[in-house]
Amino acid sequence: MAEARQDFPIEQQLKTDIREAQRNRDQTRLDTLRMALGAIHNLEVARTDRKHAEYGQPLTEADCMKVLEQEVKKRNQAIPLYKQGGRTDLAEKEQREMEILQSYLQSSQLSDEELRAIITRLIEANGKEFRKVMPLAAKETKGHADGARVQRMVKELVQ
């Protein structure tokens, strides 16, 4: 039988915050955090399926962060659609959920200065061509900066 793996710091934080949200009767926060923890566990379970692309690979802290980023992205995409449909109540709910999830991502995100330093170093090494620099920057900042933010900064710096 496989031995149970240790929880990652992000999972421990989510579990602690779930208990706190229960005590405070904060239903929105509780539901959001449970959903996030569930999404992480779903990825772990998916990797036990032989058909899954990442079959058999152990879960990493980076995978957990990627799951949270995906959940934030889903909320980002849903908010304008709800607003278009006149469902401001649902748009506000998604906005609250997104803010809760982003608080977990903030600690692992690069600041603008750190991001600029990485991109500047890549430009010096590879020239001022966007098509050369962007994939390298995306790979190096994966999980630590939003792709759109990286793209904006690369475009700005290769000018």
Side-chain angles (χ1 to χ4, degrees), residues 2 4 26-27 38-39 54 61-62 69 77 79 83 92 95 97-98 112-115 117 127 140 142 145 147 152:
D26 184 345
Q27 197 61 46
E54 298 170 332
E61 178 86 10
E69 283 173 16
Q77 293 169 343
I79 291 168
K83 286 180 179 171
E92 288 168 9
Q95 182 67 41
E97 289 178 1
M98 189 175 79
D112 282 348
E113 294 79 41
E114 293 168 315
L115 188 57
E140 194 161 326
K142 191 169 187 68
R152 271 195 311 273

PDB file of all heavy atoms in Angstrom, residues 2 4 26-27 38-39 54 61-62 69 77 79 83 92 95 97-98 112-115 117 127 140 142 145 147 152:
ATOM      1  N   ALA A   2       0.487   2.226  -0.766  1.00  0.00           N
ATOM      2  CA  ALA A   2       1.268   3.466  -0.850  1.00  0.00           C
ATOM      3  C   ALA A   2       1.135   4.235   0.457  1.00  0.00           C
ATOM      4  O   ALA A   2       0.062   4.284   1.048  1.00  0.00           O
ATOM      5  CB  ALA A   2       0.774   4.313  -2.019  1.00  0.00           C
ATOM      6  N   ALA A   4       0.866   7.528   2.766  1.00  0.00           N
ATOM      7  CA  ALA A   4       0.243   8.841   2.565  1.00  0.00           C
ATOM      8  C   ALA A   4       1.334   9.897   2.486  1.00  0.00           C
ATOM      9  O   ALA A   4       2.285   9.885   3.263  1.00  0.00           O
ATOM     10  CB  ALA A   4      -0.702   9.154   3.713  1.00  0.00           C
ATOM     11  N   ASP A  26     -18.126  32.043   8.062  1.00  0.00           N
ATOM     12  CA  ASP A  26     -17.926  32.774   6.802  1.00  0.00           C
ATOM     13  C   ASP A  26     -18.148  31.789   5.662  1.00  0.00           C
ATOM     14  O   ASP A  26     -17.219  31.134   5.188  1.00  0.00           O
ATOM     15  CB  ASP A  26     -16.501  33.345   6.771  1.00  0.00           C
ATOM     16  CG  ASP A  26     -16.228  34.210   5.551  1.00  0.00           C
ATOM     17  OD1 ASP A  26     -17.032  34.151   4.591  1.00  0.00           O
ATOM     18  OD2 ASP A  26     -15.207  34.918   5.553  1.00  0.00           O
ATOM     19  N   GLN A  27     -19.395  31.687   5.202  1.00  0.00           N
ATOM     20  CA  GLN A  27     -19.773  30.651   4.244  1.00  0.00           C
ATOM     21  C   GLN A  27     -19.082  30.793   2.893  1.00  0.00           C
ATOM     22  O   GLN A  27     -18.626  29.812   2.318  1.00  0.00           O
ATOM     23  CB  GLN A  27     -21.298  30.630   4.061  1.00  0.00           C
ATOM     24  CG  GLN A  27     -21.814  29.349   3.420  1.00  0.00           C
ATOM     25  CD  GLN A  27     -21.498  28.092   4.239  1.00  0.00           C
ATOM     26  OE1 GLN A  27     -21.676  28.058   5.444  1.00  0.00           O
ATOM     27  NE2 GLN A  27     -20.992  27.065   3.566  1.00  0.00           N
ATOM     28  N   GLY A  38     -10.426  20.792  -2.878  1.00  0.00           N
ATOM     29  CA  GLY A  38     -10.999  19.719  -3.701  1.00  0.00           C
ATOM     30  C   GLY A  38     -10.349  19.654  -5.072  1.00  0.00           C
ATOM     31  O   GLY A  38     -10.065  18.574  -5.594  1.00  0.00           O
ATOM     32  N   ALA A  39     -10.084  20.814  -5.669  1.00  0.00           N
ATOM     33  CA  ALA A  39      -9.462  20.867  -6.999  1.00  0.00           C
ATOM     34  C   ALA A  39      -8.052  20.277  -6.951  1.00  0.00           C
ATOM     35  O   ALA A  39      -7.632  19.563  -7.871  1.00  0.00           O
ATOM     36  CB  ALA A  39      -9.432  22.304  -7.512  1.00  0.00           C
ATOM     37  N   GLU A  54      -0.142  13.031 -17.066  1.00  0.00           N
ATOM     38  CA  GLU A  54       0.877  13.064 -16.010  1.00  0.00           C
ATOM     39  C   GLU A  54       0.720  11.871 -15.072  1.00  0.00           C
ATOM     40  O   GLU A  54       0.979  11.968 -13.882  1.00  0.00           O
ATOM     41  CB  GLU A  54       0.767  14.377 -15.237  1.00  0.00           C
ATOM     42  CG  GLU A  54       1.026  15.591 -16.107  1.00  0.00           C
ATOM     43  CD  GLU A  54       0.692  16.896 -15.402  1.00  0.00           C
ATOM     44  OE1 GLU A  54      -0.180  16.902 -14.513  1.00  0.00           O
ATOM     45  OE2 GLU A  54       1.307  17.900 -15.747  1.00  0.00           O
ATOM     46  N   GLU A  61       4.248  21.131  -4.874  1.00  0.00           N
ATOM     47  CA  GLU A  61       3.741  22.427  -4.410  1.00  0.00           C
ATOM     48  C   GLU A  61       3.395  23.304  -5.611  1.00  0.00           C
ATOM     49  O   GLU A  61       2.397  24.019  -5.620  1.00  0.00           O
ATOM     50  CB  GLU A  61       4.797  23.109  -3.531  1.00  0.00           C
ATOM     51  CG  GLU A  61       4.421  24.478  -3.032  1.00  0.00           C
ATOM     52  CD  GLU A  61       3.619  24.477  -1.737  1.00  0.00           C
ATOM     53  OE1 GLU A  61       3.495  23.432  -1.100  1.00  0.00           O
ATOM     54  OE2 GLU A  61       3.107  25.550  -1.378  1.00  0.00           O
ATOM     55  N   ALA A  62       4.224  23.231  -6.672  1.00  0.00           N
ATOM     56  CA  ALA A  62       3.972  24.019  -7.883  1.00  0.00           C
ATOM     57  C   ALA A  62       2.651  23.609  -8.530  1.00  0.00           C
ATOM     58  O   ALA A  62       1.915  24.450  -9.049  1.00  0.00           O
ATOM     59  CB  ALA A  62       5.127  23.842  -8.873  1.00  0.00           C
ATOM     60  N   GLU A  69      -4.102  28.945  -9.551  1.00  0.00           N
ATOM     61  CA  GLU A  69      -4.064  29.911 -10.657  1.00  0.00           C
ATOM     62  C   GLU A  69      -5.191  29.631 -11.651  1.00  0.00           C
ATOM     63  O   GLU A  69      -5.836  30.551 -12.150  1.00  0.00           O
ATOM     64  CB  GLU A  69      -2.725  29.841 -11.394  1.00  0.00           C
ATOM     65  CG  GLU A  69      -1.600  30.519 -10.665  1.00  0.00           C
ATOM     66  CD  GLU A  69      -0.252  30.294 -11.324  1.00  0.00           C
ATOM     67  OE1 GLU A  69      -0.195  29.869 -12.498  1.00  0.00           O
ATOM     68  OE2 GLU A  69       0.759  30.538 -10.654  1.00  0.00           O
ATOM     69  N   GLN A  77     -12.597  34.784 -16.051  1.00  0.00           N
ATOM     70  CA  GLN A  77     -13.336  34.622 -17.301  1.00  0.00           C
ATOM     71  C   GLN A  77     -14.838  34.674 -17.078  1.00  0.00           C
ATOM     72  O   GLN A  77     -15.586  35.114 -17.946  1.00  0.00           O
ATOM     73  CB  GLN A  77     -12.944  33.300 -17.977  1.00  0.00           C
ATOM     74  CG  GLN A  77     -11.506  33.306 -18.468  1.00  0.00           C
ATOM     75  CD  GLN A  77     -11.011  31.926 -18.887  1.00  0.00           C
ATOM     76  OE1 GLN A  77     -11.605  30.902 -18.543  1.00  0.00           O
ATOM     77  NE2 GLN A  77      -9.921  31.899 -19.628  1.00  0.00           N
ATOM     78  N   ILE A  79     -16.582  36.360 -14.634  1.00  0.00           N
ATOM     79  CA  ILE A  79     -17.119  37.646 -14.166  1.00  0.00           C
ATOM     80  C   ILE A  79     -17.708  38.482 -15.307  1.00  0.00           C
ATOM     81  O   ILE A  79     -18.867  38.895 -15.215  1.00  0.00           O
ATOM     82  CB  ILE A  79     -16.053  38.421 -13.355  1.00  0.00           C
ATOM     83  CG1 ILE A  79     -15.792  37.692 -12.030  1.00  0.00           C
ATOM     84  CG2 ILE A  79     -16.493  39.858 -13.093  1.00  0.00           C
ATOM     85  CD1 ILE A  79     -14.575  38.171 -11.275  1.00  0.00           C
ATOM     86  N   LYS A  83     -21.718  39.539 -15.892  1.00  0.00           N
ATOM     87  CA  LYS A  83     -22.125  40.948 -16.015  1.00  0.00           C
ATOM     88  C   LYS A  83     -22.907  41.170 -17.304  1.00  0.00           C
ATOM     89  O   LYS A  83     -23.908  41.886 -17.303  1.00  0.00           O
ATOM     90  CB  LYS A  83     -20.898  41.873 -15.955  1.00  0.00           C
ATOM     91  CG  LYS A  83     -20.341  42.001 -14.549  1.00  0.00           C
ATOM     92  CD  LYS A  83     -19.135  42.911 -14.481  1.00  0.00           C
ATOM     93  CE  LYS A  83     -18.638  43.025 -13.049  1.00  0.00           C
ATOM     94  NZ  LYS A  83     -17.354  43.718 -12.957  1.00  0.00           N
ATOM     95  N   GLU A  92     -20.477  39.268  -8.510  1.00  0.00           N
ATOM     96  CA  GLU A  92     -19.896  39.668  -7.217  1.00  0.00           C
ATOM     97  C   GLU A  92     -19.401  38.458  -6.436  1.00  0.00           C
ATOM     98  O   GLU A  92     -18.355  38.510  -5.792  1.00  0.00           O
ATOM     99  CB  GLU A  92     -20.935  40.442  -6.399  1.00  0.00           C
ATOM    100  CG  GLU A  92     -21.196  41.839  -6.942  1.00  0.00           C
ATOM    101  CD  GLU A  92     -22.424  42.500  -6.332  1.00  0.00           C
ATOM    102  OE1 GLU A  92     -22.987  41.955  -5.358  1.00  0.00           O
ATOM    103  OE2 GLU A  92     -22.824  43.564  -6.839  1.00  0.00           O
ATOM    104  N   GLN A  95     -16.191  37.384  -7.930  1.00  0.00           N
ATOM    105  CA  GLN A  95     -15.168  38.371  -7.577  1.00  0.00           C
ATOM    106  C   GLN A  95     -14.635  38.110  -6.170  1.00  0.00           C
ATOM    107  O   GLN A  95     -13.431  38.119  -5.939  1.00  0.00           O
ATOM    108  CB  GLN A  95     -15.753  39.789  -7.676  1.00  0.00           C
ATOM    109  CG  GLN A  95     -14.764  40.896  -7.378  1.00  0.00           C
ATOM    110  CD  GLN A  95     -13.668  41.018  -8.418  1.00  0.00           C
ATOM    111  OE1 GLN A  95     -13.917  40.901  -9.604  1.00  0.00           O
ATOM    112  NE2 GLN A  95     -12.441  41.228  -7.972  1.00  0.00           N
ATOM    113  N   GLU A  97     -14.732  35.249  -4.533  1.00  0.00           N
ATOM    114  CA  GLU A  97     -13.974  33.990  -4.560  1.00  0.00           C
ATOM    115  C   GLU A  97     -12.577  34.219  -5.141  1.00  0.00           C
ATOM    116  O   GLU A  97     -11.595  33.693  -4.632  1.00  0.00           O
ATOM    117  CB  GLU A  97     -14.707  32.931  -5.392  1.00  0.00           C
ATOM    118  CG  GLU A  97     -15.966  32.412  -4.733  1.00  0.00           C
ATOM    119  CD  GLU A  97     -16.716  31.400  -5.588  1.00  0.00           C
ATOM    120  OE1 GLU A  97     -16.243  31.077  -6.706  1.00  0.00           O
ATOM    121  OE2 GLU A  97     -17.771  30.934  -5.137  1.00  0.00           O
ATOM    122  N   MET A  98     -12.517  35.015  -6.217  1.00  0.00           N
ATOM    123  CA  MET A  98     -11.232  35.282  -6.867  1.00  0.00           C
ATOM    124  C   MET A  98     -10.284  35.997  -5.898  1.00  0.00           C
ATOM    125  O   MET A  98      -9.101  35.660  -5.814  1.00  0.00           O
ATOM    126  CB  MET A  98     -11.446  36.128  -8.120  1.00  0.00           C
ATOM    127  CG  MET A  98     -10.217  36.270  -8.971  1.00  0.00           C
ATOM    128  SD  MET A  98     -10.545  37.143 -10.500  1.00  0.00           S
ATOM    129  CE  MET A  98     -10.574  38.822  -9.912  1.00  0.00           C
ATOM    130  N   ASP A 112       7.087  43.439  -9.583  1.00  0.00           N
ATOM    131  CA  ASP A 112       7.412  44.008 -10.889  1.00  0.00           C
ATOM    132  C   ASP A 112       8.920  44.137 -11.068  1.00  0.00           C
ATOM    133  O   ASP A 112       9.447  43.887 -12.154  1.00  0.00           O
ATOM    134  CB  ASP A 112       6.754  45.379 -11.064  1.00  0.00           C
ATOM    135  CG  ASP A 112       5.279  45.268 -11.408  1.00  0.00           C
ATOM    136  OD1 ASP A 112       4.828  44.142 -11.740  1.00  0.00           O
ATOM    137  OD2 ASP A 112       4.574  46.286 -11.360  1.00  0.00           O
ATOM    138  N   GLU A 113       9.634  44.515  -9.994  1.00  0.00           N
ATOM    139  CA  GLU A 113      11.083  44.687 -10.088  1.00  0.00           C
ATOM    140  C   GLU A 113      11.763  43.346 -10.379  1.00  0.00           C
ATOM    141  O   GLU A 113      12.666  43.266 -11.218  1.00  0.00           O
ATOM    142  CB  GLU A 113      11.667  45.269  -8.785  1.00  0.00           C
ATOM    143  CG  GLU A 113      11.218  46.676  -8.478  1.00  0.00           C
ATOM    144  CD  GLU A 113       9.797  46.733  -7.879  1.00  0.00           C
ATOM    145  OE1 GLU A 113       9.464  45.887  -7.037  1.00  0.00           O
ATOM    146  OE2 GLU A 113       9.032  47.623  -8.284  1.00  0.00           O
ATOM    147  N   GLU A 114      11.342  42.282  -9.663  1.00  0.00           N
ATOM    148  CA  GLU A 114      11.938  40.965  -9.873  1.00  0.00           C
ATOM    149  C   GLU A 114      11.664  40.479 -11.297  1.00  0.00           C
ATOM    150  O   GLU A 114      12.550  39.941 -11.967  1.00  0.00           O
ATOM    151  CB  GLU A 114      11.363  39.956  -8.872  1.00  0.00           C
ATOM    152  CG  GLU A 114      11.752  40.230  -7.431  1.00  0.00           C
ATOM    153  CD  GLU A 114      10.956  39.404  -6.443  1.00  0.00           C
ATOM    154  OE1 GLU A 114       9.715  39.297  -6.582  1.00  0.00           O
ATOM    155  OE2 GLU A 114      11.579  38.860  -5.512  1.00  0.00           O
ATOM    156  N   LEU A 115      10.433  40.692 -11.749  1.00  0.00           N
ATOM    157  CA  LEU A 115      10.040  40.279 -13.096  1.00  0.00           C
ATOM    158  C   LEU A 115      10.864  41.034 -14.147  1.00  0.00           C
ATOM    159  O   LEU A 115      11.386  40.436 -15.091  1.00  0.00           O
ATOM    160  CB  LEU A 115       8.540  40.531 -13.296  1.00  0.00           C
ATOM    161  CG  LEU A 115       7.909  39.991 -14.566  1.00  0.00           C
ATOM    162  CD1 LEU A 115       8.114  38.492 -14.681  1.00  0.00           C
ATOM    163  CD2 LEU A 115       6.418  40.302 -14.588  1.00  0.00           C
ATOM    164  N   ALA A 117      13.789  42.329 -13.793  1.00  0.00           N
ATOM    165  CA  ALA A 117      15.178  41.862 -13.741  1.00  0.00           C
ATOM    166  C   ALA A 117      15.352  40.564 -14.522  1.00  0.00           C
ATOM    167  O   ALA A 117      16.323  40.407 -15.283  1.00  0.00           O
ATOM    168  CB  ALA A 117      15.606  41.666 -12.286  1.00  0.00           C
ATOM    169  N   GLY A 127      18.964  38.601 -27.062  1.00  0.00           N
ATOM    170  CA  GLY A 127      18.626  39.641 -28.027  1.00  0.00           C
ATOM    171  C   GLY A 127      17.239  40.211 -27.782  1.00  0.00           C
ATOM    172  O   GLY A 127      16.483  39.698 -26.967  1.00  0.00           O
ATOM    173  N   GLU A 140      10.364  30.580 -17.344  1.00  0.00           N
ATOM    174  CA  GLU A 140      11.076  30.905 -16.107  1.00  0.00           C
ATOM    175  C   GLU A 140      10.161  31.474 -15.020  1.00  0.00           C
ATOM    176  O   GLU A 140      10.423  31.304 -13.837  1.00  0.00           O
ATOM    177  CB  GLU A 140      12.217  31.885 -16.407  1.00  0.00           C
ATOM    178  CG  GLU A 140      13.184  31.994 -15.259  1.00  0.00           C
ATOM    179  CD  GLU A 140      14.533  32.560 -15.672  1.00  0.00           C
ATOM    180  OE1 GLU A 140      14.991  32.309 -16.801  1.00  0.00           O
ATOM    181  OE2 GLU A 140      15.113  33.260 -14.840  1.00  0.00           O
ATOM    182  N   LYS A 142       6.826  30.827 -14.775  1.00  0.00           N
ATOM    183  CA  LYS A 142       5.623  29.996 -14.638  1.00  0.00           C
ATOM    184  C   LYS A 142       5.303  29.765 -13.159  1.00  0.00           C
ATOM    185  O   LYS A 142       6.151  29.382 -12.377  1.00  0.00           O
ATOM    186  CB  LYS A 142       5.852  28.654 -15.330  1.00  0.00           C
ATOM    187  CG  LYS A 142       4.593  27.843 -15.481  1.00  0.00           C
ATOM    188  CD  LYS A 142       4.859  26.663 -16.403  1.00  0.00           C
ATOM    189  CE  LYS A 142       3.618  25.913 -16.716  1.00  0.00           C
ATOM    190  NZ  LYS A 142       2.660  26.621 -17.528  1.00  0.00           N
ATOM    191  N   ALA A 145       4.162  34.454 -11.944  1.00  0.00           N
ATOM    192  CA  ALA A 145       3.657  35.687 -12.534  1.00  0.00           C
ATOM    193  C   ALA A 145       2.596  35.343 -13.569  1.00  0.00           C
ATOM    194  O   ALA A 145       2.715  34.325 -14.260  1.00  0.00           O
ATOM    195  CB  ALA A 145       4.801  36.479 -13.182  1.00  0.00           C
ATOM    196  N   GLY A 147       0.699  35.232 -16.941  1.00  0.00           N
ATOM    197  CA  GLY A 147       1.205  35.237 -18.312  1.00  0.00           C
ATOM    198  C   GLY A 147       0.992  36.558 -19.033  1.00  0.00           C
ATOM    199  O   GLY A 147       1.870  37.037 -19.743  1.00  0.00           O
ATOM    200  N   ARG A 152       3.125  41.656 -21.310  1.00  0.00           N
ATOM    201  CA  ARG A 152       3.148  43.123 -21.345  1.00  0.00           C
ATOM    202  C   ARG A 152       4.553  43.643 -21.096  1.00  0.00           C
ATOM    203  O   ARG A 152       5.056  44.524 -21.784  1.00  0.00           O
ATOM    204  CB  ARG A 152       2.198  43.712 -20.294  1.00  0.00           C
ATOM    205  CG  ARG A 152       0.779  43.919 -20.760  1.00  0.00           C
ATOM    206  CD  ARG A 152      -0.004  44.815 -19.823  1.00  0.00           C
ATOM    207  NE  ARG A 152       0.109  44.437 -18.410  1.00  0.00           N
ATOM    208  CZ  ARG A 152      -0.687  43.535 -17.809  1.00  0.00           C
ATOM    209  NH1 ARG A 152      -1.620  42.928 -18.506  1.00  0.00           N
ATOM    210  NH2 ARG A 152      -0.545  43.257 -16.553  1.00  0.00           N
TER     211      ARG A 152
END
